Amino acid sequence: MSFNWRWDFTFEILPRLLWATLNTLMAAGVGYAIAVVLGLVLALAQRTGFRPLTQLAREFVEFIRSTPLVLQIFFVFYVGPQFGIRLSPWVSGMVAIGLHYSAYLSEVYRGGLESVPKGQWEACTALNMTSRQTYFRVIIPQALPPSLAGMGNYLVGILKDTPMLSVIGVAELMHTANAIGSESYRFLEPYTLVGIIFLAISLPTAGLIRLFEIWVRRKLGMR
Amino acid sequence: MSYWEFLQTYGVRILDGTAVTGIQFLFASAVAIAVALIAGLGKLSSNLLIRSIAITYIEIFRGTSLLVQLYWIFFVLPLFGITLPKFAAGFLSVGMNVGAYGAELVRGAIQSVPKGQWEAALALNMSPAQRMRRVILPQAFLLMLPPWGNLIIELLKGTALVSLISVADLMFQSKQINASTYLSAQSFGTALIVYYILARFLVTPFMRWLERVMARRLGRG
């Protein structure tokens, strides 16, 4: 087999790949939603004064961050059934990717929270604010802008990691490309198209995130 | 089967896999560092052609997934007449992928070397190559070492993907053991622990040590 790009074949498989792209986007969106919430829990757990909890959250984050996502996906998918918990590929994929990125996002939040000057906390204490008021009205609005860049990077990151879900049979873009490849024995078009589709999503997303960041800063009265 | 028996039976295969992962890691690191230097310097070049090649490379490899790149290099490149053995395809794609991220670190570090250093080198009549090699790069190296520490961990994790083109690394071995024994918690759990030990107790301390040594050599220890 030599290099010859077939346009008819390209147009034949393009609709299928675009449908799969929707699954990829959905996987990234759901995974990211889980990660955003869970990351906040992990970051706040590290800020409670309770040492065992702080230590546990810290170790968990370190462990997740230093082991491969693809292995975690396998772990979640295969270990459940051993103990009688059967998870569908979609559910275990979302759990694994959400957990993985929650560790990264918790670090982003932590950095953001730490970047708020100490005087702000003291001022809240002086004004007799409850800790809930302190967080929601003073700290989080200031911690958010410095965190946005990191959060955006991981949104693109999670999108680019969704192909790993194909290993447990989630029918996203990569999985579909593999299927097309093994049906037709043509790998050039599907894999190249997957690459192009990813570029076409991730480059504009990165640009949009930068614009959003500027917009939020302006809204909050920061430069 | 107790976990101890599991280790006695399959420990050798896990160690074999760990060795392959280690070799993949070393080769991929070498590729990543070389490519990052070339592309990072290329992006700063005044030559438009070199600059656009570097930018294209960086954007393509940062804009798509490692898995896509791996499959492309392994399955599509042969159609262009470049057939790579799976082992080489593995570390080359991991290295090229991480190298694109590294290139941005190299560029950022070079640009953040204070302007006075560039001017001083110019005043001493150094050629651009001398200036880069003897004044700018050593200082840039120190600046970019901490973010490279994170990137190298990403690289180690990236090598797990080469198992998908059946390079017999740690991930591959644990998958095989799982397939033949159905002891998922043991096989994948052991692999997770081994990756954790490699990252936390080998790679991270090494990078810290390198930071200290470099700082001392530049007289900033």
Side-chain angles (χ1 to χ4, degrees), chain A residues 2-6 186-193, chain B residues 72 75-76 79-80:
Chain A
S2 67
F3 169 67
N4 60 325
W5 182 279
R6 272 178 44 194
R186 291 191 68 84
F187 293 98
L188 172 64
E189 292 89 351
Y191 285 155
T192 309
L193 283 174
Chain B
W72 207 88
F75 291 111
V76 178
L79 307 181
F80 293 87

Side-chain angles (χ1 to χ4, degrees), chain A residues 79-164:
Chain A
V79 170
Q82 209 180 345
F83 300 101
I85 310 161
R86 211 162 274 284
L87 297 174
S88 74
W90 263 98
V91 173
S92 36
M94 293 299 91
V95 168
I97 215 165
L99 268 179
H100 189 79
Y101 273 90
S102 72
Y104 282 91
L105 281 178
S106 80
E107 292 290 281
V108 172
Y109 295 142
R110 208 166 59 95
L113 287 173
E114 274 167 15
S115 74
V116 177
K118 207 157 178 228
Q120 300 286 329
W121 293 90
E122 288 162 358
C124 291
T125 315
L127 289 171
N128 200 21
M129 283 179 149
T130 63
S131 66
R132 198 179 142 156
Q133 281 176 319
T134 307
Y135 268 106
F136 281 98
R137 309 182 81 163
V138 180
I139 305 301
I140 289 179
Q142 293 184 78
L144 196 61
S147 308
L148 278 179
M151 287 178 75
N153 284 343
Y154 288 124
L155 176 60
V156 180
I158 209 166
L159 177 77
K160 283 184 292 186
D161 273 351
T162 51
M164 289 190 205

Side-chain angles (χ1 to χ4, degrees), chain B residues 141-142 145 205-215:
Chain B
F141 191 61
L142 192 61
L145 262 181
F206 174 76
M207 293 304 289
R208 291 279 144 74
W209 173 81
L210 200 62
E211 277 169 41
R212 273 204 311 278
V213 170
M214 285 307 296

Side-chain angles (χ1 to χ4, degrees), chain A residues 65 74 82 104 160 192 202, chain B residues 62-63 65 72 154 157 185:
Chain A
R65 280 178 8 123
F74 273 114
Q82 209 180 345
Y104 282 91
K160 283 184 292 186
T192 309
S202 66
Chain B
R62 288 196 342 155
S65 318
W72 207 88
E154 292 298 319
K157 288 156 53 183

Side-chain angles (χ1 to χ4, degrees), chain A:
Chain A
M1 196 158 52
S2 67
F3 169 67
N4 60 325
W5 182 279
R6 272 178 44 194
W7 282 105
D8 57 329
F9 183 64
T10 306
F11 288 115
E12 194 187 313
I13 63 171
L14 193 59
R16 238 176 113 184
L17 287 175
L18 289 178
W19 267 115
T21 308
L22 287 182
N23 277 347
T24 288
L25 290 177
M26 198 164 85
V30 174
Y32 193 68
I34 297 174
V36 163
V37 177
L38 221 57
L40 195 60
V41 174
L42 282 174
L44 292 178
Q46 289 179 59
R47 292 190 74 87
T48 56
F50 189 52
R51 264 194 76 81
L53 185 64
T54 308
Q55 209 60 31
L56 194 71
R58 185 77 237 134
E59 281 305 315
F60 179 75
V61 168
E62 285 298 328
F63 187 81
I64 295 272
R65 280 178 8 123
S66 42
T67 48
L69 173 59
V70 79
L71 187 51
Q72 292 164 6
I73 292 174
F74 273 114
F75 189 87
V76 172
F77 186 59
Y78 285 104
V79 170
Q82 209 180 345
F83 300 101
I85 310 161
R86 211 162 274 284
L87 297 174
S88 74
W90 263 98
V91 173
S92 36
M94 293 299 91
V95 168
I97 215 165
L99 268 179
H100 189 79
Y101 273 90
S102 72
Y104 282 91
L105 281 178
S106 80
E107 292 290 281
V108 172
Y109 295 142
R110 208 166 59 95
L113 287 173
E114 274 167 15
S115 74
V116 177
K118 207 157 178 228
Q120 300 286 329
W121 293 90
E122 288 162 358
C124 291
T125 315
L127 289 171
N128 200 21
M129 283 179 149
T130 63
S131 66
R132 198 179 142 156
Q133 281 176 319
T134 307
Y135 268 106
F136 281 98
R137 309 182 81 163
V138 180
I139 305 301
I140 289 179
Q142 293 184 78
L144 196 61
S147 308
L148 278 179
M151 287 178 75
N153 284 343
Y154 288 124
L155 176 60
V156 180
I158 209 166
L159 177 77
K160 283 184 292 186
D161 273 351
T162 51
M164 289 190 205
L165 296 173
S166 65
V167 296
I168 53 168
V170 174
E172 47 67 69
L173 198 46
M174 198 74 220
H175 192 263
T176 310
N178 282 337
I180 293 172
S182 49
E183 284 161 19
S184 61
Y185 298 104
R186 291 191 68 84
F187 293 98
L188 172 64
E189 292 89 351
Y191 285 155
T192 309
L193 283 174
V194 169
I196 293 171
I197 291 173
F198 267 107
L199 272 181
I201 300 172
S202 66
L203 291 183
T205 310
L208 281 178
I209 287 165
R210 211 150 298 146
L211 287 179
F212 179 68
E213 205 187 318
I214 295 169
W215 180 78
V216 169
R217 273 173 197 273
R218 202 168 297 153
K219 273 271 154 180
L220 290 171
M222 298 177 166
R223 271 166 295 113

